[in-house]
Amino acid sequence: MRIGPHDLPNNLFVAPMAGVTDRPFRQLCRRFGAGYAVSEMVTSRKDLWHTLKTSRRADHQGELGPIAVQIAGTEPGMMAEAAAYNIDRGAQIIDINMGCPAKKVCNKWAGSALMQDEALALSIVEAVVAACEPKGVPVTLKMRTGWCQSEKNALTIARAAESAGVQMITVHGRTREQGYKGEAEYDTIAAVKAALRIPVVANGDIDSPEKARQVLQATGADALMIGRAAQGRPWIFREVAHYLATGTHLAPPLVAEVQRALLEHLQDHYGLYGEYTGVRSARKHIGWYVKDLPGGEVFRSGMNALETSEQQLDAVSAYFEELSQQMDRLPAVQWHPALETMQ
C-alpha cells in the first residue's frame, strides 16, 4: 500500500476520530498492527492554531511516519494555509475532512457539509493540492457517501478530487444525515473504487475480522479504515491482519498484555494532557477497555470518581490483577453474521 512516496506496512488504517485519535492512541494502534494513522482534525482557523487544544492535536513527538494530519475548514485559502502550516510542523500527508457529521462542524459548513456544495469542495481540494504539491506532500480526502439518502454524490466528488490531484480517498459508507446510526452501505464505496485509479479506502462498521474480509470483497477497496471498533480494542488490527492472511483467528490477548498496554497508554495520555485534563479524558478510554469484561461496569462507575492519575493507575492495575486470577486471556469476541447484513 502506497500514498504518494510513502510505503505503508499494510492496508489497515486507524480512523481520525475527534477526541480519540490523539498521539498516544495512534501510537498504541500502530503497535498493535495498524499500518497507518491519521490525526484527529485540526482547524484551518489561524486564530486557533496556538491554542492548547490544537497544539495537542498537532503533537507528533516520537511518532512513526508518515505523519498524516487532517485539516477541516470552509475557505480554500485558509485550508491551503493550514496545509502549509502543518507541513512546516512535520506533516508528511495532508488529509481533507469532508466526513465529520458533528453539528458544530457542519453548522459552519465544514466536514461533511461541504458535500452539499460541490464547487466549494472542489475549490478547497484544488487549493490544498496547490499548497502541498511543491513540497512533495500528497493530499488525501475522507468523505461520506453524501449529505442525505437523496443526495449521494460521493462518486462525483471523488472523480473531481482525483482529477485535481488527490492521491487517496476514504469513504465512510453513511450519509451525514445518518451520523453513526443504522448500517453502513458498501455499494457506494464499490462504485467509487471502480471509477478511480487512485487507492480507495472503505470505512464504516468494520468491527471484526470476518466483517473486514466481507467489506474488502464487497467493495474491492485497497484498504480498510477502522474507527469505533478500535476503542478499547486496539489489537483488532493484528486480529484482522492475521485473519486476512490465514483465514484463522488469533487467540484473544492475554490479560497481562492488555493490562500492560493500558497502563502504558495511560502514562502517554497523562504526558500529553497533564494531570487534571489527562485523568478526566482517560476515563472514556478505560471504560472502553473494560466495557465487556467481568465486573467492568461496576469498575467503571467507581473509577470515574477517581481524581488523580496515581489512583487511576492503581485501580486499573488492581482490576486486571483480579481478572488475571479468573482467566489468562480476554473472552473471545463473538461475531454474529446474521446481525452483520451487508448492504
Side-chain angles (χ1 to χ4, degrees):
M1 183 72 198
R2 190 174 177 87
I3 306 173
H6 304 291
D7 286 312
L8 306 180
N10 63 40
N11 64 345
L12 301 176
F13 301 171
V14 189
M17 296 175 281
V20 179
T21 320
D22 53 21
R23 175 176 48 78
F25 187 78
R26 293 193 300 272
Q27 290 178 308
L28 176 74
C29 292
R30 294 289 292 270
R31 287 198 295 270
F32 274 108
Y36 180 63
V38 184
S39 75
E40 50 186 330
M41 64 182 176
V42 175
T43 180
S44 62
R45 283 180 53 186
K46 191 182 292 189
D47 58 313
L48 297 177
W49 287 350
H50 299 293
T51 64
L52 186 57
K53 183 176 182 179
T54 298
S55 67
R56 284 171 176 158
R57 288 187 170 191
D59 188 316
H60 304 282
Q61 187 175 357
E63 194 170 354
L64 289 173
I67 305 300
V69 174
Q70 186 181 77
I71 58 174
T74 60
E75 204 282 320
M78 288 172 63
M79 288 286 277
E81 276 192 85
Y85 176 83
N86 281 284
I87 290 168
D88 288 344
R89 277 146 192 79
Q92 296 167 295
I93 296 171
I94 294 293
D95 186 63
I96 299 172
N97 182 323
M98 286 189 200
C100 180
K103 284 184 179 178
K104 68 179 181 181
V105 175
C106 289
N107 285 346
K108 296 172 184 172
W109 282 83
S112 53
L114 286 171
M115 298 188 74
Q116 292 181 98
D117 189 335
E118 292 176 8
L120 176 59
L122 183 58
S123 294
I124 286 173
V125 168
E126 290 171 340
V128 172
V129 169
C132 294
E133 217 165 32
K135 300 171 184 288
V137 172
V139 175
T140 61
L141 171 65
K142 186 170 191 289
M143 62 180 175
R144 294 209 159 210
T145 56
W147 179 253
C148 61
Q149 185 65 27
S150 61
E151 296 177 30
K152 287 189 177 180
N153 58 347
L155 182 55
T156 301
I157 293 176
R159 281 180 165 141
E162 180 183 48
S163 296
V166 163
Q167 297 191 40
M168 185 180 78
I169 289 179
T170 301
V171 183
H172 183 133
R174 287 182 171 86
T175 64
R176 187 272 161 185
E177 190 177 53
Q178 282 181 270
Y180 295 98
K181 296 175 183 175
E183 293 178 339
E185 57 93 359
Y186 305 105
D187 289 346
T188 301
I189 303 174
V192 171
K193 171 57 189 170
L196 302 189
R197 297 179 303 278
I198 59 174
V200 172
V201 185
N203 176 223
D205 291 353
I206 301 165
D207 57 4
S208 69
E210 291 90 346
K211 188 63 177 283
R213 183 172 67 180
Q214 283 191 352
V215 172
L216 283 175
Q217 291 171 343
T219 63
D222 301 281
L224 299 174
M225 182 172 278
I226 298 174
R228 289 171 295 161
Q231 295 172 354
R233 189 185 160 203
W235 47 88
I236 189 173
F237 295 99
R238 75 179 183 195
E239 292 176 341
V240 169
H242 181 85
Y243 185 79
L244 292 178
T246 69
T248 63
H249 287 277
L250 278 178
L254 293 164
V255 171
E257 181 186 20
V258 175
Q259 178 182 6
R260 185 170 61 252
L262 176 51
L263 291 174
E264 289 175 0
H265 182 192
L266 291 175
Q267 294 282 16
D268 286 348
H269 192 86
Y270 304 142
L272 178 62
Y273 292 98
E275 176 78 9
Y276 182 85
T277 301
V279 166
R280 281 146 186 81
S281 56
R283 290 170 181 163
K284 61 177 180 282
H285 288 283
I286 299 170
W288 290 328
Y289 276 87
V290 304
K291 176 167 60 82
D292 297 318
L293 297 180
E297 285 301 316
V298 174
F299 169 74
R300 182 164 64 169
S301 61
M303 181 272 305
N304 283 343
L306 302 179
E307 296 289 333
T308 71
S309 59
E310 185 178 4
Q311 289 173 333
Q312 272 189 347
L313 292 169
D314 287 347
V316 166
S317 293
Y319 172 80
F320 279 97
E321 290 294 340
E322 186 176 338
L323 189 64
S324 69
Q325 304 304 310
Q326 305 172 41
M327 58 186 74
D328 289 332
R329 295 182 180 273
L330 295 196
V333 176
Q334 297 301 312
W335 184 68
H336 302 285
L339 302 178
E340 294 282 7
T341 18
M342 298 294 288
Q343 297 294 308

